[in-house]
Amino acid sequence: MASTVKRLAVLPFILFGLSAAAWGGGPAAWPEITRECRPGAYWWWMGSAVNPADLTRELARYCAAGMGGVHIVPIYGAKGCEDQYIEYLSPKWMAMMHHAVREAERLDMFVDMSLGTGWCFGGPNVSDEDACANIKVNAFDAPADSRWTHSFDPKALQVLAAFAPDGKWIDLKEKLDSNGAITWRSDGVPRRIYAVLRRLSGRKVKRAAPGGEGWMLDPFSGGAVRRYLERFTEAFAANPGPRPRAYYHDSYEFIANWSPDLLDEFAERRGYRLEGELPALLAKEPDDHAARVKADYRETVSDMMIENYAPVWIGWSRDHGSTTRYQAHGSPANILDLYALADVPETEMYAKDRDVLVAKFASSAAHVAGRKLTAAETGTWLKEHFITSLADVKKLADELFLAGVNHVIYHGACYSPDEAPWPGWLFYASTQMNPRNSIWRDAPALNAYIARCQAVLQAGRPGNDILLYWPIHDLWNGKPGNKTDDFLPRYGVHNSRSWLDERSIGAVATLLWKRGYRFDYVSDRQLVAAQVNQGRATLPGGEYATVLVPPCNLMPLETLKALFDLAEAGATVIFADHLPKDVPGAGNLDKRRSQFAETLKRVLFTQPTTDGTLQTASVGSGRLLVGPIEAGLAAAGVDREALTDLEGLQFIRRTLDDGYWYFLNYRGRQPIDGWIPLSVDCGAIAIHDPMTGQIGTAATRNIDSGRTEVYLRIEPGESVILRAFADRPATPTPQWDYYHSSGEPVELTGKWKIEFIEGGPKLPHPLATERLVSWTELEDEVANNFAGAARYTLVFDAPETGRSTWLLDLGRVCHSARVRLNGRDLGTVFAPPFRVLADRLQLKPLGNVLEVEATNLSANRIRDMDRRGERWKNFHDINFVSLDGKPFNASNWPLYDSGLLGPVRLRKQESFQP
């Protein structure tokens, strides 16, 4: 018998939709979706125990789900499968890699590969001399006219120097005998003797695969990485075949603060010997001179990574026919310069360490250097295992898109042979984006969403107006505040408070972000290379309306001259609050200070404006501005996007020859319903729905300032893409249909038939119910432990006759659903609000059939396995751990709600034009 309907009073509801004709092509069509647009995944090979048949099967499954590629990372293996392990870079291993690349090419997918196993660079061919190392300092006091005797390991000893109270020093290393012994008599003054010894840090490759075990590499030495790459050169030469698309360097997890080359590199770059400044370098409470020496040491390490280490492996990759992906974060170098060396800079967000302003360092480097792609390691420890939903992944992806990422790489998918019992082989720091996880069933809908978004975000050019200078020399000169390593601070996603949030650049970046100004960070090296075109600062990746310098004290002379030269050539440069005050570093300080002062004298600033806030100086055909940021930006003609005044609404913009792309994401509490301002004047705007692929011409209006407003309605958590045309296209796109709810919503009630169709460990028995509740409330132990999908079927009569458009609101869904009405596929929903539009659908008067296939998380199934003590965590090395690093155990978890919980309602829609 058909169900009855129950009417409910609700507030008016407005929905976007469109006619079927709006799917057409034309100038507003979606950009082409390539394999780089589709999300990829880290693909861990446990023990490299892979075989051609399973490789082919897994790649076919990834392709069918809408993924664009994989990244091979060999790691430790599963217990009991040791006889299947394949040694890294052996002929058999190379054959498996070549097979994967060939199969991926056949499927129009890419394959990337780590240059090593686990992480970071390192392995069995890394000698003690090439391994990452720290220094250990021993200090001895030698009274005046005393005899001092000691012995050292000659290979470990880096510096042996005796310092008098006045700072004068004697190099004692040259006085060692061949066995490392020394007997030395001090002169008539007491001296402090420093012995600096290089000590291996003990850091070995983490999560190494068979054949990849060994020391981590010295990350500052070009020679060390050159020798490291020899085994790869030999392996590829001996085993020819197709190469990966890209080679990869993981984030910096080396433990190192020294390199055998450092002393000579320092002397050449800084103009004085570091050996003679050991008391300053090692000072716990540095005075100005000591702070400058420390800054010079930190800059030298940065230079060595940027100029000696990274170019070697990047150059090797390109010479061997591949590109590069590079996670520069976590390193002690200027990460903007390090990211920019790679073809694809890559960032990441980790658990709760999710800061758009940190992730923008990678995209800024890509934008400034003219790289098309910015990648992101996506989903590392997003939540605890098996409780991460597709909606959680979408939310993270949206944050990454706003940060400028346009190449999502899931973290990830673990290769697992079909015969491995559920849940198969698993890597511990992963979202488990694999075909064995229940969320995989509806992952194609998420992958399609990401592909559409990334197709847009890979199109055109970055649409940012401001180059925001990173005053890293203030960081290098001061105490970094990073408790883990004050000697050589690092710049990563986990400690951004110390190097970004609490610094002037963090405050300025936050202001710009919240106020709707879009910017890219820029380094000293990049600014020195900038040119000017028609008044805009120009770099390989594009043009910018202005350069903005946050309040800073120290700036290299070369950078100051470059900024003044940009102004001379016609650019506008803004100094927030004040000009820099001094040069950094200790070498040749008096001369550099004098040149710095002379450079500042090149310009004469006018009196502040009538409100007393902004000073200006005309320099050549450009300007220098000093004062409040927004006053400077207004004077420079930089417009902000006022749409960010709506709390929770953010955007990223791409520039096209005939307009712009806008990606908008909304994190507010109440729906947006009304006119949204854009900072550009548009001839037309097309709305693109990345969830459905639908397109239509938006309602727009011009406002007094010559700008355009577009009518939008966005639910919390949703994203909208706009294609803004400078002129109205000759071939218009059909109008976007705007809908509002008409009348009262109708709750669908009656007898729901529930059939469990896919999953395990067992399929619960089918049932019928008039009350929609979680499977965990069915008093069925099999349903409590089930992970998979169930089909809900309801037969109902139409609330009214006639041809109408209806909004079907599923209410609460745990955690995704496929929807059909009268045999018509209405789509897959995996994030709130769980609604689909039944466009121009004529309901039958009687006997309409609604089918909802709801899929839950795998949490309840894994909970059951741990409660029963079933052995599935069966891996070497770290085995399988929780987010807190402790052994994973789900036995005390609560049951997670599952299925279609409703209430399910129909809302009649009426079309209107704003």
Side-chain angles (χ1 to χ4, degrees):
M1 179 178 178
S3 73
T4 57
V5 295
K6 182 168 60 178
R7 297 193 175 272
L8 301 145
V10 297
L11 295 173
F13 180 86
I14 301 174
L15 178 78
F16 286 138
L18 75 167
S19 61
W23 282 88
W30 290 97
E32 179 187 3
I33 293 180
T34 66
R35 62 186 184 180
E36 275 76 22
C37 299
R38 305 194 300 270
Y42 286 74
W43 194 24
W44 296 286
W45 285 9
M46 300 199 83
S48 297
V50 300
N51 64 74
D54 280 325
L55 289 173
T56 295
R57 272 194 293 270
E58 289 220 339
L59 287 169
R61 289 164 181 161
Y62 300 151
C63 179
M67 288 171 55
V70 292
H71 166 186
I72 298 171
V73 188
I75 58 171
Y76 54 87
K79 295 177 182 178
C81 300
E82 289 80 2
D83 61 341
Q84 301 172 42
Y85 293 176
I86 302 174
E87 184 175 351
Y88 184 58
L89 295 184
S90 67
K92 186 175 181 180
W93 192 95
M94 297 294 290
M96 295 300 105
M97 185 272 291
H98 292 322
H99 177 81
V101 174
R102 277 190 290 266
E103 288 296 283
E105 287 291 340
R106 179 178 62 83
L107 296 167
D108 190 27
M109 300 175 70
F110 63 83
V111 173
D112 294 346
M113 169 183 157
S114 293
L115 274 175
T117 74
W119 65 91
C120 298
F121 280 13
N125 67 324
V126 176
S127 65
D128 289 359
E129 291 72 24
D130 285 344
C132 60
N134 291 322
I135 55 170
K136 179 183 179 182
V137 181
N138 295 326
F140 310 89
D141 289 320
D145 298 317
S146 65
R147 182 171 177 271
W148 183 74
T149 301
H150 212 283
S151 62
F152 300 93
D153 177 357
K155 291 184 178 181
L157 187 66
Q158 306 293 295
V159 182
L160 186 63
F163 290 82
D166 63 359
K168 294 181 179 179
W169 68 288
I170 300 173
D171 185 354
L172 299 182
K173 188 179 179 183
E174 60 186 19
K175 301 181 183 298
L176 292 173
D177 65 22
S178 59
N179 296 317
I182 182 173
T183 297
W184 175 73
R185 180 172 292 281
S186 68
D187 51 17
V189 296
R191 292 187 182 269
R192 189 163 182 81
I193 299 171
Y194 291 93
V196 178
L197 298 106
R198 176 180 177 272
R199 291 281 188 261
L200 295 182
S201 67
R203 191 67 144 184
K204 294 191 173 183
V205 175
K206 297 185 72 173
R207 317 308 175 220
E213 305 91 339
W215 294 123
M216 279 193 193
L217 195 64
D218 177 347
F220 314 135
S221 170
V225 71
R226 197 170 288 109
R227 288 183 287 275
Y228 171 70
L229 291 170
E230 290 174 358
R231 73 184 299 223
F232 294 91
T233 301
E234 294 169 0
F236 279 94
N239 302 276
R243 301 294 180 99
R245 177 195 69 159
Y247 296 105
Y248 169 84
H249 192 304
D250 212 326
S251 61
Y252 185 100
E253 293 192 30
F254 303 97
I255 297 179
N257 60 27
W258 199 261
S259 179
D261 302 331
L262 192 145
L263 292 173
D264 290 340
E265 291 274 355
F266 185 96
E268 182 178 346
R269 295 173 184 277
R270 307 281 88 87
Y272 65 98
R273 300 297 303 186
L274 185 59
E275 299 96 314
E277 294 288 353
L278 287 179
L281 178 67
L282 302 172
K284 298 295 184 182
E285 297 293 333
D287 58 14
D288 180 69
H289 174 71
R292 290 176 176 275
V293 171
K294 288 177 182 286
D296 280 342
Y297 157 74
R298 292 162 181 162
E299 184 177 8
T300 300
V301 169
S302 176
D303 289 345
M304 291 173 70
M305 287 200 75
I306 293 164
E307 298 177 13
N308 298 356
Y309 173 82
V312 173
W313 77 266
I314 290 172
W316 181 93
S317 302
R318 292 171 180 165
D319 290 344
H320 286 77
S322 298
T323 58
T324 55
R325 284 176 34 224
Y326 196 178
Q327 291 193 353
H329 49 274
S331 82
N334 187 319
I335 58 176
L336 286 173
D337 295 325
L338 212 53
Y339 277 131
L341 293 173
D343 301 284
V344 183
E346 179 165 316
T347 185
E348 66 177 294
M349 291 184 178
Y350 180 98
K352 295 182 179 179
D353 293 325
R354 293 163 58 165
D355 190 336
V356 168
L357 299 180
V358 173
K360 274 182 66 64
F361 274 77
S363 65
S364 294
H367 295 165
V368 167
R371 313 301 191 203
K372 179 180 179 180
L373 301 178
T374 302
E377 175 185 317
T378 305
T380 308
W381 287 133
L382 183 53
K383 283 186 175 180
E384 191 54 272
H385 298 288
F386 308 107
I387 64 172
T388 301
S389 68
L390 298 177
D392 295 325
V393 180
K394 175 191 176 293
K395 183 177 180 181
L396 174 64
D398 287 338
E399 292 177 41
L400 291 166
F401 295 154
L402 291 172
V405 167
N406 58 9
H407 193 41
V408 161
I409 312 291
Y410 291 140
H411 200 268
C414 193
Y415 168 97
S416 184
D418 281 359
E419 63 268 19
W422 194 90
W425 294 358
L426 300 174
F427 178 64
Y428 68 96
S430 169
T431 295
Q432 313 305 341
M433 189 62 74
N434 63 64
R436 303 174 302 283
N437 194 352
S438 59
I439 65 173
W440 181 262
R441 188 172 195 267
D442 290 331
L446 170 65
N447 294 338
Y449 169 83
I450 289 175
R452 294 186 190 105
C453 292
Q454 294 191 152
V456 166
L457 297 174
Q458 291 175 19
R461 304 174 299 280
N464 298 331
D465 298 314
I466 302 165
L467 283 172
L468 178 60
Y469 171 65
W470 186 22
I472 194 171
H473 291 274
D474 279 354
L475 269 176
W476 282 335
N477 192 76
K479 277 191 171 183
N482 177 3
K483 295 180 181 178
T484 59
D485 191 353
D486 281 352
F487 188 67
L488 185 62
R490 299 184 293 171
Y491 310 109
V493 300
H494 306 299
N495 66 331
S496 61
R497 178 182 296 276
S498 65
W499 65 266
L500 181 65
D501 300 352
E502 296 175 352
R503 305 289 173 167
S504 65
I505 189 173
V508 172
T510 299
L511 170 69
L512 297 177
W513 184 257
K514 289 183 176 180
R515 291 286 290 160
Y517 297 100
R518 284 302 171 257
F519 62 91
D520 284 320
Y521 301 110
V522 67
S523 71
D524 294 278
R525 270 184 180 82
Q526 293 163 340
L527 272 179
V528 169
Q531 298 179 343
V532 178
N533 180 32
Q534 297 182 344
R536 298 174 68 84
T538 304
L539 284 155
E543 298 179 349
Y544 297 82
T546 189
V547 180
L548 173 60
V549 179
C552 67
N553 295 318
L554 303 174
M555 177 178 285
L557 174 63
E558 297 78 10
T559 304
L560 183 68
K561 287 182 176 179
L563 289 170
F564 282 24
D565 288 345
L566 289 174
E568 288 267 9
T572 299
V573 178
I574 304 168
F575 293 89
D577 295 348
H578 60 79
L579 292 168
K581 300 174 181 178
D582 203 351
V583 293
N588 208 7
L589 183 57
D590 290 341
K591 180 179 179 180
R592 290 187 297 116
R593 275 178 165 164
S594 175
Q595 293 174 330
F596 192 85
E598 287 299 318
T599 302
L600 289 177
K601 290 178 182 178
R602 285 171 52 186
V603 298
L604 179 64
F605 283 93
T606 64
Q607 293 299 315
T609 52
T610 54
D611 60 1
T613 60
L614 192 65
Q615 291 181 289
T616 64
S618 295
V619 182
S621 55
R623 290 181 298 170
L624 298 174
L625 307 175
V626 180
I629 292 170
E630 292 205 69
L633 293 173
V638 177
D639 294 324
R640 74 184 190 93
E641 293 284 1
L643 62 87
T644 60
D645 292 344
L646 292 167
E647 186 176 358
L649 184 61
Q650 280 294 348
F651 75 99
I652 186 170
R653 183 178 60 209
R654 302 282 296 183
T655 302
L656 303 168
D657 291 340
D658 61 348
Y660 300 89
W661 282 109
Y662 282 80
F663 171 86
L664 278 63
N665 179 251
Y666 179 52
R667 298 290 175 89
R669 295 184 177 182
Q670 299 297 324
I672 292 175
D673 179 14
W675 295 97
I676 304 298
L678 301 183
S679 69
V680 295
D681 186 16
C682 306
I685 296 176
I687 296 172
H688 290 60
D689 182 355
M691 286 293 253
T692 65
Q694 297 174 336
I695 305 170
T697 298
T700 60
R701 66 184 186 187
N702 293 325
I703 52 180
D704 294 340
S705 60
R707 311 293 166 73
T708 300
E709 291 186 330
V710 57
Y711 195 92
L712 296 176
R713 187 182 194 283
I714 314 176
E715 292 285 337
E718 286 186 336
S719 298
V720 172
I721 291 173
L722 304 178
R723 174 65 164 92
F725 294 92
D727 300 306
R728 183 170 292 277
T731 306
T733 300
Q735 291 294 315
W736 185 270
D737 287 340
Y738 294 88
Y739 292 106
H740 63 79
S741 290
S742 173
E744 298 176 348
V746 177
E747 182 174 348
L748 301 184
T749 60
K751 187 74 72 174
W752 289 91
K753 294 181 180 179
I754 306 176
E755 179 186 5
F756 294 87
I757 57 175
E758 182 180 317
K762 297 179 181 178
L763 293 179
H765 293 297
L767 68 148
T769 180
E770 293 186 356
R771 189 169 68 95
L772 291 174
V773 297
S774 169
W775 305 339
T776 57
E777 296 182 30
L778 297 179
E779 298 182 356
D780 181 348
E781 192 66 19
V782 175
N784 285 350
N785 305 329
F786 179 73
R791 182 184 298 117
Y792 292 71
T793 304
L794 179 70
V795 180
F796 67 95
D797 297 337
E800 62 181 66
T801 59
R803 191 173 180 83
S804 300
T805 296
W806 294 86
L807 179 72
L808 179 62
D809 186 345
L810 299 181
R812 187 175 174 216
V813 175
C814 296
H815 284 83
S816 63
R818 303 176 185 180
V819 186
R820 286 189 299 275
L821 185 57
N822 290 332
R824 179 183 176 187
D825 187 2
L826 299 186
T828 300
V829 288
F830 59 85
F834 295 99
R835 299 167 180 165
V836 292
L837 194 67
D839 184 37
R840 303 290 192 267
L841 178 72
Q842 184 175 11
L843 291 178
K844 297 184 295 184
L846 302 173
N848 296 281
V849 180
L850 172 64
E851 297 172 282
V852 179
E853 294 182 2
T855 301
N856 71 340
L857 305 176
S858 291
N860 294 338
R861 184 173 181 180
I862 213 73
R863 169 185 178 272
D864 172 62
M865 294 177 72
D866 277 351
R867 286 167 65 88
R868 291 187 289 104
E870 188 170 341
R871 186 177 180 182
W872 61 272
K873 293 161 283 189
N874 194 34
F875 314 109
H876 286 292
D877 201 289
I878 196 171
N879 199 351
F880 198 80
V881 297
S882 295
L883 185 56
D884 60 7
K886 298 177 181 179
F888 180 89
N889 188 339
S891 60
N892 291 323
W893 283 6
L895 287 170
Y896 282 82
D897 286 346
S898 303
L900 175 63
L901 279 65
V904 179
R905 297 166 177 167
L906 277 175
R907 303 169 186 259
K908 186 178 179 181
Q909 305 297 299
E910 290 188 358
S911 178
F912 76 100
Q913 282 299 315

